[in-house]
Each structure stands twice: as C-alpha cells, then as structure tokens.
Amino acid sequence: MAKETREFQAETRELLDLMINSIYTNKEIFLRELISNASDAIDKVHFVSLTNSELLGEDTEYQIFLIPDKNTHTLTISDNGIGMNREEVIENIGTIAKSGTKAFLEQLKNSKEEGSIDENLIGQFGVGFYAAFMVADKVTLITKRAGETEATRWESAGDGSYSVEEAQKEARGTSITLTLKEEFYKEGAELDLTDTYAIQNLVKKYSDYVRYPIKMNFVVEETPKDDEGNPIKDAEKIKKNELRTLNSMTPLWTKNKSELKDEDYNEFFKQEFHEWEAPMEVFHTKAEGNVTYTALLGIPGHAPFNLYHTNYEPGISLYSRHVFIMDKCKDLLPDYLGFIKGLVDSPDFSLNISRELLQQSAELKTIGRAIEKNILKTLERNLKNKREDYEKFWNEYGKSIKIGIYNSMYSGFDTVDKLKNLLLFKTSKEGKLASLKEYVERMPESQKQIYYATAKDEATIEKLPQMELLRDKNIEVLYLLDPVDEFAIETIREYEGKTFHSISRGDLDLGDEESKEAQKETEEIAKTNDDLIKDIKEVLGSKVAEVKISGRLKSSAVCLVADEAGPSLSMEQTFAEMNNPMFKARRILEINPHHDLFGKLKSVYTEGKDSQDFKDYCDLLYTQALIIEGILPENPVDFANKIAKLMAK
Ligand code: ADP
C-alpha cells in the first residue's frame, strides 16, 4: 500500500505538544516505557504461540535489543514481540483510544498553569509510547505482526501528522528508532543516549526485572595477547564488540522479602503496572499447602482517574511458574478491591487453559479468597495502628469500600460484615473521621440509634434545621457527603445492635427524659392545631404526604423530612440524577410551633382559611423547606412573585 500521511487526532496532538514541551522533568523514563511496551509485546506473542506452535518459527529466543548509534544520533529499541499490522499501528500509535484522554489533558493543562505538573498523571493515562518525543525529534517505527508477511513503517516528528507506508522487515516484532534531540547526544550532555554506559544505567535502574533479556553491544578495548595468553606490552588495543545482557531478569516476587527494599518494590510497580509513584501498601505473600502461590500486590498511591467508570479494568496479572498467562484478571478479587494492582504466580494455574476456564477455576477462587482476607486484615490493622496511612487510603479508595457494601445485595451479604469496620465518616465531633466503632463507643447510654445527616458538604449539614436539636443536645452525627454513603448505610442497617437513623427521616426519638417531655408537649400543640394542620395539607395537596408539628426545630421555621420507609430526599435526588425518577421520598413538612411565623400563620388562617394569603403562606413554607434541602422550587417565578407580594405588604 502507498505511503499516506495522516493527521493525529486532536487529543493526541495536544498530548504530543505537551510531551515535546517537556511537561515531565524526568525525561529518562521514556526508555522504561518503550521497554515495557516491548516486554508486553513479547508476552503477547508468547501467549498466542501457546495455541499456535508455528507462529514463532525459528525465532524462539525472546529478546529486546538496544542499539545506540553515535554517528546517526539515534537510539533503536527493537523487540521480537507480537508486532503490529498497518491497521493496528494506526489504531494504537496514531490515536489515543483511551476515553479519559480529554480529562487528562484538562488536568495536565490546569496543573501546568499552576506552575507544577503532577507527574503522576501521565502514568494513569497510559501514554507511554509518546514519552519517546521527550527525547526525540523524530520517531520511526517499523513493525511486522507475527504470522503476517507485510511490514509497516510509521514515522512522525511529533508535529501534528505522521506517515504510514509499507516496509521491509525480516523478523516479526517492532523496532523503534529515535532520532535524538541534540541535548541527548551533544558533547558533555547530561544524559547522552548514544552512550552505552548511560543506557546500561537506565536499564538497571528502571527495567532490571523485565523478564526478557535486554541486550546491547558494547565496544570493548582489549590488549592483544601473545601465544601464551599474556598481554603484549605497549601493543595497540583492539576494539571488540561484546553483546551483553543488561538486566538480571529475576522475577522480583520470587525473591525473599528480606532481600528486598522499598525501592525495589516501588520500581517494580512503576515498571510493571505503569505506576508513577510508590504504592501506598505492598502485599508480598507466599503460600504453600492447599494451593501454592506467590502474590505481589499493591495499592497504588493514587486511585486511577477512571476507577469508577465502566471502562476501568482491574489490573491483576496471572503467572504460572513465572511465565505470564494473562493480565487484567477480574475474577481473582472482588470488585471492591478493583484498585489493587499486582500479580499472582501459581503452579496451580495451567498455562494452556483458556481465559474463560481459568476465570472459573476453583484454584483461582481459593487463592482470591486468601488474598482478599489478607488485604482486609492489613487494612483493619492499619486503621488501628497507622491511622494517618489509613485515612490516606480511605480518602483515595473509601468509595470502593462503600460501593462494595451497597453491592453486597448482589455479591452476598457477608461482604457487609467484612467491610463495615473499614468505614470512616466525618462527624459533627471536630469534623474528624470516625469509624462506626468509635462512634458507638462514644454514644451516651440513653442514645439508642446512630444518627446521620446527608448533604454535599459539611457546611450545608451544619446549617440544616434538623441539626438544631442534635447540636443542642450534643449528640454526634455522622456526615454522609457522598451520594453512595446513604445507600451503604441503608444496606448495613445496624451496627452492634444500633440502627441507623437519618436526621432527615421519620421522627427523632432521642430516648432521654427531656425528649419524652418535649414529645408530649409537641403532641399537645398538634392536637390543638389539628384543623390548621389538616388545611395546610389540603392546600399543599400531593406535594407532601404529611404535615406535622415539629419537635426537632429550634430556630428554623420549617423543615422537610422523609418518611421512615422508602428513600430519603437525597436518595430521591440521586435516583433522579441516574434517570430513575420513580423512587420518590414520602415528604413530610414539619413546622416549628415556637417560631414567630407559626403565630402569624395561625392569624392568617383565622382571618380566612380559604384566603389567597393563607394559600400563599402554605406554599412559601413548603418551598422554603425544599430550598433548605437543596431542591429547587418547581416554579421559581411563582415563588419569587409570592415573596414580592408579601414584602410589599
Ligand atoms: P499503553 O502501553 O499504556 O497501552 P502506549 O502508548 O505505550 O500505551 O502504547 C499504545 C499501544 O501500542 C499499546 O497498547 C500496544 O498495543 C501498541 N504498542 C506499543 N509498543 C509496541 C510494541 N513494541 N510492540 C507491539 N505493540 C506495541
């Protein structure tokens, strides 16, 4: 096929621009990215060859070559992996298929404007190949897909377009030649990428345990020897090529924990899982017995940007006797641990088993359960003993745990018991995070329920009329600030025999003597105002299920609560946002009988219960209560007109 020149997709171009204009200070990592791609490509060809023995032909020795060239100022990275055909080159290299790219660019630009670039961002978005443009003016890729005859040449100067054309290449695999920027080959360069020793150092540093040999030719000088093998004095040295393997290739997880340092683990996660920062927790376990396995897993320092999107793929790789079987295995761990990255190596996994069968295998399930238990135990231990670390974990991944609890209706209710002790919520006590256990331990004897409030932020909760009485009585309230929180709490139902109670739902029975008195008083007032209450309900019609005299309000005139049964107001809003408007809360309007407004309402009512004024008052009270809950009035113009009319009086 003829040579064609194509434009990069807009997002790719933007990303290239950022790369070239050095968004990332540590440019040397480009090599890790390219080697990592090469190693992935070899994994892939190996995997396919398991069921297609002809595929490899004579080329069975997997390897990656690095070829620096001082004359042409180039560095070539070459592999005998799976390679790509023309369509794949265009698909994989010409576009960034990842849906999060746009969001990524936004974040990147923002952080650039603020003057610092968050380097962790790049890795999260898997833009590894483009890192080549940080050190190269031009990138040339020649590749041949295993089993196919035609090769493809792709080239770009990172200037908005690239070319693709047919090429000649004998062996399968990919060869990427970087035409280096001057600063990476000139005399006295800080990092000379045409220098074999500089490259050797980079490989040692970043890619030592890549499981395929990374080879490079070194030119070594030797003193000639005489017939007896002794060096000839004063003879001119001879230059010789010597092919060396740069990496040790020992899979890190097979080593003993005691041999390994934090840095080893950190580099491993960066290399293997395209992480850009150290994991916040590492689990390195070996088990023998019922099932035999080694697991090396970690919790990434930050949650991936798309963790809660449907396109997120959990990242556990499986190995059998150190040979890669598959990546992104999603059936090993439960969904709520989807943020865990790492690998499991077990001789109990069969190499030739299909992906589908493996995912259903009993061994996989047994290993998964053991690992899950271990992770949860560590998290609980951290909550107890390493509070600061745990809170950092919670801020990144707490949502996963809460979703896990909510989803237990599908995954089995034992999940609730496994996870409930891991929960943390801000509370009205000093705005700090507390576990349910801590909350319950602090409860006064008379308190029978665990109280919670929902809103989008703390400030809104603190201003809720429903908070007044609880604050007055110094009762601690859990703050549920994420829509998923209330769903999780509703799923748990009770903790150590204490039920959960939303301060915006049902009656508020605080259980103490004083409250009982107040309750009686409220009932009295309700009785004497029975007609008024009924007529307010009539005016409001189906907007509310009930109108009540409130025992919980101190300084506010009204509030809206939901019935005990059925969803709360905030759940109703969440459902509506998910286009599920069927789930409606049963709204109860509570009126504060001690507020001046109540007196006024009564007098307007006595003057004429069918008057427009009374109707307007009822309507305004209801709309106020809605607004306090963060719900917009159905008819804002009508609301404003009624207020204007009242103000003009
Ligand atoms: P990522 O590796 O995170 O997917 P990259 O931009 O590094 O992102 O690479 C994009 C894609 O290009 C890879 O997923 C792979 O399909 C393909 N690719 C890159 N390098 C190679 C290579 N050496 N051999 C075969 N395919 C490659």
Side-chain angles (χ1 to χ4, degrees):
M1 226 193 273
K3 176 167 178 167
E4 56 175 320
T5 304
R6 290 170 161 247
E7 295 290 309
F8 279 115
Q9 178 203 23
E11 276 102 16
T12 312
R13 207 162 49 226
E14 251 184 280
L15 188 64
L16 275 169
D17 262 0
L18 284 164
M19 279 288 174
I20 292 161
N21 298 319
S22 103
I23 49 164
Y24 194 67
T25 43
N26 190 14
K27 295 183 177 180
E28 64 192 31
I29 54 81
F30 81 94
L31 190 61
R32 172 179 76 197
E33 295 305 304
L34 297 183
I35 290 178
S36 178
N37 281 350
S39 152
D40 289 350
I42 299 177
D43 278 345
K44 283 181 197 155
V45 83
H46 174 72
F47 188 64
V48 181
S49 76
L50 293 176
T51 49
N52 178 357
S53 51
E54 318 263 276
L55 191 72
L56 299 180
E58 310 232 305
D59 191 1
T60 51
E61 202 182 316
Y62 299 128
Q63 50 197 340
I64 299 166
F65 273 102
L66 303 182
I67 310 151
D69 189 329
K70 282 207 180 294
N71 297 323
T72 53
H73 312 308
T74 57
L75 171 63
T76 299
I77 297 100
S78 163
D79 64 65
N80 58 354
I82 189 90
M84 286 177 272
N85 59 31
R86 190 187 182 103
E87 288 73 42
E88 286 166 329
V89 170
I90 294 170
E91 170 77 18
N92 296 338
I93 306 290
T95 54
I96 302 176
K98 319 256 150 79
S99 59
T101 309
K102 243 200 153 95
F104 165 62
L105 285 167
E106 292 297 313
Q107 285 193 44
L108 214 52
K109 274 191 272 178
N110 288 344
S111 71
K112 208 176 171 201
E113 272 156 26
E114 283 162 22
S116 77
I117 279 132
D118 188 352
E119 293 166 358
N120 298 317
L121 288 175
I122 305 176
Q124 291 182 12
F125 293 84
V127 287
F129 174 79
Y130 296 94
F133 286 99
M134 298 199 295
V135 298
D137 281 329
K138 188 172 78 184
V139 177
T140 311
L141 173 145
I142 299 176
T143 181
K144 188 164 111 184
R145 169 98 194 177
E148 297 186 14
T149 47
E150 200 177 283
T152 306
R153 177 192 162 97
W154 176 100
E155 191 168 83
S156 174
D159 54 359
S161 66
Y162 61 90
S163 65
V164 259
E165 65 188 301
E166 203 176 318
Q168 290 303 315
K169 189 177 188 304
E170 273 301 307
R172 67 156 193 272
T174 304
S175 176
I176 297 170
T177 299
L178 313 177
T179 305
L180 297 165
K181 288 176 192 263
E182 199 188 346
E183 57 177 299
F184 296 104
Y185 64 78
K186 67 176 183 211
E187 273 290 311
E190 205 176 308
L191 174 63
D192 182 350
L193 292 173
T194 58
D195 178 54
T196 42
Y197 290 94
I199 290 171
Q200 180 177 32
N201 284 340
L202 292 185
V203 172
K204 272 270 159 226
K205 183 168 169 192
Y206 294 111
S207 312
D208 193 48
Y209 23 71
V210 166
R211 54 201 157 271
Y212 306 109
I214 303 169
K215 296 179 180 172
M216 185 165 62
N217 252 319
F218 282 75
V219 180
V220 286
E221 291 189 337
E222 252 179 33
T223 315
K225 290 177 184 145
D226 60 20
D227 293 343
E228 278 153 31
N230 297 318
I232 307 172
K233 237 179 146 192
D234 299 330
E236 203 175 311
K237 294 196 163 131
I238 6 176
K239 286 190 177 172
K240 247 180 71 182
N241 273 336
E242 193 179 293
L243 190 63
R244 293 186 193 159
T245 296
L246 307 177
N247 52 331
S248 70
M249 287 185 288
T250 323
L252 187 82
W253 62 93
T254 59
K255 295 190 181 170
N256 276 328
K257 258 186 185 170
S258 55
E259 290 173 63
L260 296 166
K261 293 196 289 284
D262 284 353
E263 296 92 84
D264 297 322
Y265 288 122
N266 296 349
E267 268 318 312
F268 174 80
F269 277 95
K270 287 180 184 171
Q271 170 71 46
E272 286 291 315
F273 297 100
H274 305 277
E275 287 294 317
W276 290 69
E277 63 184 326
M280 58 166 88
E281 186 76 45
V282 171
F283 308 87
H284 187 185
T285 43
K286 288 178 197 219
E288 265 171 61
N290 214 356
V291 279
T292 302
Y293 68 87
T294 302
L296 178 50
L297 304 164
I299 302 178
H302 279 94
F305 75 99
N306 61 345
L307 183 56
Y308 304 110
H309 290 189
T310 44
N311 67 1
Y312 179 75
E313 292 181 293
I316 309 286
S317 303
L318 303 184
Y319 287 79
S320 180
R321 298 181 200 281
H322 322 331
V323 178
F324 171 85
I325 317 178
M326 68 152 113
D327 60 1
K328 307 203 157 84
C329 172
K330 62 178 190 317
D331 292 302
L332 180 75
L333 294 176
D335 289 349
Y336 64 79
L337 291 179
F339 52 83
I340 300 276
K341 291 205 169 174
L343 56 87
V344 177
D345 188 347
S346 169
D348 296 332
F349 297 147
S350 157
L351 266 187
N352 293 318
I353 195 168
S354 78
R355 208 180 164 95
E356 288 69 30
L357 278 181
L358 181 63
Q359 299 202 342
Q360 293 161 17
S361 86
E363 288 81 13
L364 189 79
K365 294 210 165 75
T366 314
I367 293 174
R369 269 196 299 271
I371 292 174
E372 177 194 8
K373 216 163 154 185
N374 181 28
I375 294 172
L376 294 181
K377 216 165 65 197
T378 307
L379 290 175
E380 280 186 34
R381 211 173 33 229
N382 285 358
L383 171 60
K384 236 194 202 148
N385 306 329
K386 293 188 191 165
R387 183 64 173 227
E388 212 172 299
D389 289 359
Y390 186 79
E391 290 195 2
K392 185 167 177 264
F393 160 79
W394 183 255
N395 289 332
E396 288 296 323
Y397 303 104
K399 198 184 179 93
S400 292
I401 303 294
K402 293 184 281 195
I403 295 175
I405 290 182
Y406 176 58
N407 282 338
S408 66
M409 55 174 114
Y410 312 110
S411 64
F413 281 102
D414 59 330
T415 314
V416 174
D417 288 329
K418 284 189 216 162
L419 300 184
K420 65 186 179 191
N421 285 316
L422 293 175
L423 292 173
L424 287 185
F425 293 105
K426 280 235 165 115
T427 83
S428 52
K429 235 183 195 110
E430 299 159 26
K432 282 198 195 132
L433 288 167
S435 67
L436 294 177
K437 193 162 188 288
E438 286 158 356
Y439 178 98
V440 168
E441 277 168 5
R442 292 203 285 250
M443 274 168 70
E445 188 105 28
S446 59
Q447 190 184 333
K448 299 285 175 270
Q449 292 180 305
I450 300 171
Y451 295 104
Y452 69 83
T454 50
K456 61 181 190 324
D457 54 39
E458 286 166 61
T460 311
I461 291 190
E462 274 151 21
K463 286 191 201 107
L464 283 178
Q466 294 92 325
M467 280 293 284
E468 292 177 350
L469 184 63
L470 291 140
R471 192 165 30 237
D472 223 42
K473 292 195 176 288
N474 202 18
I475 290 179
E476 188 171 9
V477 177
L478 299 178
Y479 289 0
L480 272 44
L481 304 175
D482 187 319
V484 69
D485 293 358
E486 195 174 10
F487 289 89
I489 286 288
E490 288 288 315
T491 311
I492 305 177
R493 295 225 174 99
E494 59 160 46
Y495 184 83
E496 291 188 1
K498 313 272 190 275
T499 50
F500 291 97
H501 190 97
S502 161
I503 65 159
S504 303
R505 267 168 114 173
D507 286 327
L508 204 55
D509 175 12
L510 299 182
D512 58 347
E513 274 311 310
E514 208 183 328
S515 305
K516 281 186 192 132
E517 285 295 309
Q519 176 69 17
K520 240 190 242 153
E521 191 200 342
T522 310
E523 278 165 20
E524 286 296 317
I525 302 174
K527 224 183 265 165
T528 45
N529 291 288
D530 199 29
D531 287 345
L532 170 65
I533 300 296
K534 265 195 207 123
D535 285 334
I536 300 174
K537 163 74 184 103
E538 198 160 318
V539 172
L540 293 177
S542 62
K543 285 180 192 157
V544 293
E546 213 179 314
V547 177
K548 266 186 173 173
I549 291 294
S550 181
R552 75 179 94 204
L553 297 176
K554 291 279 154 194
S555 59
S556 307
V558 277
C559 75
L560 204 57
V561 297
D563 190 24
E564 200 76 68
S568 68
L569 286 160
S570 58
M571 286 166 114
E572 174 188 307
Q573 278 168 284
T574 309
F575 281 127
E577 276 160 25
M578 298 189 305
N579 277 331
N580 213 342
M582 264 129 63
F583 296 93
K584 286 256 188 246
R586 246 185 119 243
R587 297 167 187 213
I588 301 168
L589 180 70
E590 290 199 7
I591 303 178
N592 180 357
H594 306 295
H595 198 282
D596 291 347
L597 196 60
F598 187 67
K600 177 79 184 176
L601 183 68
K602 265 178 24 184
S603 67
V604 175
Y605 179 66
T606 351
E607 276 166 32
K609 58 184 192 173
D610 294 323
S611 69
Q612 190 56 41
D613 271 2
F614 177 62
K615 285 181 190 151
D616 288 353
Y617 263 76
C618 294
D619 224 33
L620 284 173
L621 274 178
Y622 170 69
T623 313
Q624 262 186 48
L626 270 187
I627 294 174
I628 294 170
E629 285 301 314
I631 305 172
L632 277 183
E634 274 158 39
N635 190 342
V637 177
D638 184 50
F639 175 62
N641 286 343
K642 280 181 184 149
I643 291 200
K645 190 172 134 196
L646 207 68
M647 286 168 87
K649 272 204 171 166

